[in-house]
Amino acid sequence: MSPSSTRAQKRQRRGMLISVLAVVAISLGAFGAVFGVKWSPKLGLDLAGGLSVVYQTDHKVSASELDEAVTILNNRVNGLGVSGAQVNSTGTNQISVSIPGVKNSAQVLSEIGQTAQMYFRPVLCYSPGYVAQKGTKGKPAASPGALPTSCPTANQLVTSNLSGSVNNANGVQYNVQPDADLEIYPSTVVDNPKDTVLEPGLPVKGQTGVNELRYLMGPAQISGTAVKTATAELSQTGEWVVDMSLTGAGSKAWDTMTTTYFHEIIGIELDGVVQSAPITQPNQSTWSSFDGSVQISGSFTQSSAQALALALQYGSLPVGLKQLTTQTVSPTLGKASLDAGLGAGVVGLGLVLLYVLFYYRALGLVVISGLALTAALLWAIISSLGHTSFSPSFDLAGITGLIVSIGITVDSYIVYFERLKDETRSGRSIRTSVDRGFKSAWRTVWAADFVSLLAAIVLYEVAVGDVKGFAFFLGLSTIMDMGVTWFYTRPLVILLGRSERSTSKGRFGIARGLAVSSTMAPAPMGAGK
């Protein structure tokens, strides 16, 4: 063998060794990193427990309107700080929402279930809570007529009455008394933006029942589509405020509205409830343009500021939604499902590993090590994705996808090893067969994995819910199988096939696993063919 051939073989051997070590380092390093920061996969609804709710539109909608509603609901859920949630349209008029790991289902439902459009309305005056009037025989009187469109002078929320008022978290001005005559009117049910409405505010501590404060508001001046972004922030004085930016059209409309109602109260109304009612520029003597940037201040707490920001940011739905079904899955049931799924996976994997170890001997160790490295890298990837905006949830369907992928991965090894058998049975040595066998096997492995990956992509695009999770994890595992086969299995088997010790020694050698004579083992390095 010439010196140049020897140097080429050494370079090739060094390259393959580097490839094997790189895969080991990346897999174990990634696993160690997520283990060190205590990250783990975000479990889905059926494993971690949580909340599942189905909404239906209140009228027939277009596909684009339904997609927009899905996007807004998804943003609302993500805005709550939960991860792994799924929001999908089902059919032509329904939306399903699954939120794993929810402990306070009622609170989450109240946040995401606000389904009407948001409106900004001028507040005319305050009203006491509704008090049903009794007739002459003690029965409820007939419902009163249409709401008044104005209030007594002393109760009007105009500049002269609001002078010196204090703006608290809900915009309540305690030196302006509610109009007692409004208590006979029930709160508005049908929220028409062109009408005068009477609506309650968010619950205020100490104000319940008949003492609940309500707001008589004029026609809407702006809808929630004017809001571009809204965030809760700490001001320079250490108080919680809500910073809101407006769209181009929204900025012009806002300036027009606040010019008309300068030093007066604007009600921010969502789903028939006033989220906040602040005074326009209370600390300024003259009006000035907002330039598309609005700050709402008051006696906010962190939670109330974040709730208002969430409502402003994701409050404007193109359609009205109503709850059809609500289901709460207990964590205990989820844990039982997780134990059952993992148990089935471990048993199946154990049987596969015992089979390949008994059938392929030393090559079986390649399968075991390859699956272990793939599992470590998968764990790291899935755990890391759980801390991104994509945040796929790991549910029973995902476990099923991974279990199916184990069969696909083991198939890749078997295709390669059986091709090695064919090569050695045709009279070639193991040393020359490992290279030739992989070239032939790779075409089959690549074709099979490509078909599996294509099926996973199509399934992910057209499916919803749990099937989408199955497709995602199946596709991810298939991509990793192709990478590990090329960068780990191929170089490792070639290196082992060129080692006399690993091929022909004892009952556990590669020659025994391939069922060929030990005379097919490689000659010592430097010898001729």
Side-chain angles (χ1 to χ4, degrees), residues 240-244 254 268 276 278 294-298 300 308 312:
W240 281 98
V241 298
V242 176
D243 289 327
M244 180 174 67
W254 186 272
I268 304 171
S276 182
V294 180
Q295 184 178 90
I296 304 174
S297 60
F300 285 115
L308 177 58
L312 288 166

Side-chain angles (χ1 to χ4, degrees), residues 214-233:
R214 296 186 296 168
Y215 301 78
L216 182 68
M217 298 185 291
Q221 306 296 305
I222 306 176
S223 72
T225 56
V227 180
K228 186 177 182 181
T229 61
T231 56
E233 306 282 352

Side-chain angles (χ1 to χ4, degrees), residues 314-438:
Y314 308 120
S316 183
L317 280 169
V319 294
L321 300 177
K322 58 182 180 180
Q323 286 185 30
L324 280 186
T325 61
T326 303
Q327 178 185 10
T328 301
V329 181
S330 70
T332 303
L333 179 60
K335 186 178 184 302
S337 300
L338 177 61
D339 292 341
L342 291 179
V346 169
V347 171
L349 180 60
L351 292 174
V352 170
L353 296 184
L354 286 175
Y355 169 78
V356 296
L357 195 61
F358 173 78
Y359 195 76
Y360 291 111
R361 310 302 169 92
L363 290 177
L365 293 177
V366 176
V367 179
I368 294 173
S369 63
L371 289 175
L373 293 174
T374 301
L377 191 54
L378 268 174
W379 180 274
I381 293 174
I382 296 172
S383 299
S384 299
L385 287 175
H387 289 77
T388 66
S389 57
F390 177 59
S391 188
S393 58
F394 190 56
D395 49 21
L396 280 177
I399 291 178
T400 304
L402 293 180
I403 292 175
V404 170
S405 72
I406 292 175
I408 296 174
T409 302
V410 174
D411 278 347
S412 300
Y413 290 104
I414 292 176
V415 168
Y416 184 17
F417 298 161
E418 290 301 312
R419 186 57 187 164
L420 288 181
K421 280 187 178 182
D422 293 340
E423 294 289 338
T424 54
R425 287 170 181 170
S426 66
R428 295 185 178 88
S429 67
I430 296 176
R431 181 185 183 85
T432 58
S433 296
V434 288
D435 256 329
R436 293 174 61 91
F438 183 81

Side-chain angles (χ1 to χ4, degrees), residues 20 80 123 199 241-242 270 315 348 372 401 409 428 502:
V20 171
L80 293 172
V123 182
E199 296 178 343
V241 298
V242 176
L270 175 65
T409 302
R428 295 185 178 88
S502 63

Side-chain angles (χ1 to χ4, degrees), residues 86-91 96 459-469:
Q86 293 183 348
V87 182
N88 301 292
S89 58
T90 55
S96 65
L459 195 59
Y460 184 85
E461 288 298 323
V462 301
V464 295
D466 294 343
V467 179
K468 208 176 187 74

Side-chain angles (χ1 to χ4, degrees), residues 165-358:
S165 296
V166 178
N167 185 21
N168 77 354
N170 285 311
V172 179
Q173 315 303 315
Y174 290 107
N175 62 339
V176 181
Q177 296 301 314
D179 179 5
D181 292 339
L182 293 175
E183 69 178 8
I184 65 171
Y185 295 92
S187 297
T188 302
V189 176
V190 179
D191 190 12
N192 189 325
K194 297 180 180 180
D195 292 343
T196 298
V197 296
L198 180 59
E199 296 178 343
L202 290 173
V204 179
K205 192 173 182 179
Q207 294 182 354
T208 57
V210 296
N211 294 319
E212 181 185 23
L213 191 70
R214 296 186 296 168
Y215 301 78
L216 182 68
M217 298 185 291
Q221 306 296 305
I222 306 176
S223 72
T225 56
V227 180
K228 186 177 182 181
T229 61
T231 56
E233 306 282 352
L234 276 173
S235 67
Q236 294 181 348
T237 60
E239 296 178 335
W240 281 98
V241 298
V242 176
D243 289 327
M244 180 174 67
S245 65
L246 305 172
T247 63
S251 178
K252 295 178 181 178
W254 186 272
D255 280 353
T256 300
M257 176 182 69
T258 54
T259 301
T260 305
Y261 300 101
F262 176 61
H263 274 186
E264 297 185 17
I265 296 178
I266 300 298
I268 304 171
E269 173 249 318
L270 175 65
D271 199 15
V273 177
V274 178
Q275 306 294 310
S276 182
I279 297 178
T280 303
Q281 296 179 331
N283 299 321
Q284 297 181 202
S285 58
T286 58
W287 177 89
S288 62
S289 173
F290 284 82
D291 292 327
S293 180
V294 180
Q295 184 178 90
I296 304 174
S297 60
S299 301
F300 285 115
T301 62
Q302 180 178 358
S303 60
S304 64
Q306 290 175 340
L308 177 58
L310 183 67
L312 288 166
Q313 176 83 47
Y314 308 120
S316 183
L317 280 169
V319 294
L321 300 177
K322 58 182 180 180
Q323 286 185 30
L324 280 186
T325 61
T326 303
Q327 178 185 10
T328 301
V329 181
S330 70
T332 303
L333 179 60
K335 186 178 184 302
S337 300
L338 177 61
D339 292 341
L342 291 179
V346 169
V347 171
L349 180 60
L351 292 174
V352 170
L353 296 184
L354 286 175
Y355 169 78
V356 296
L357 195 61
F358 173 78

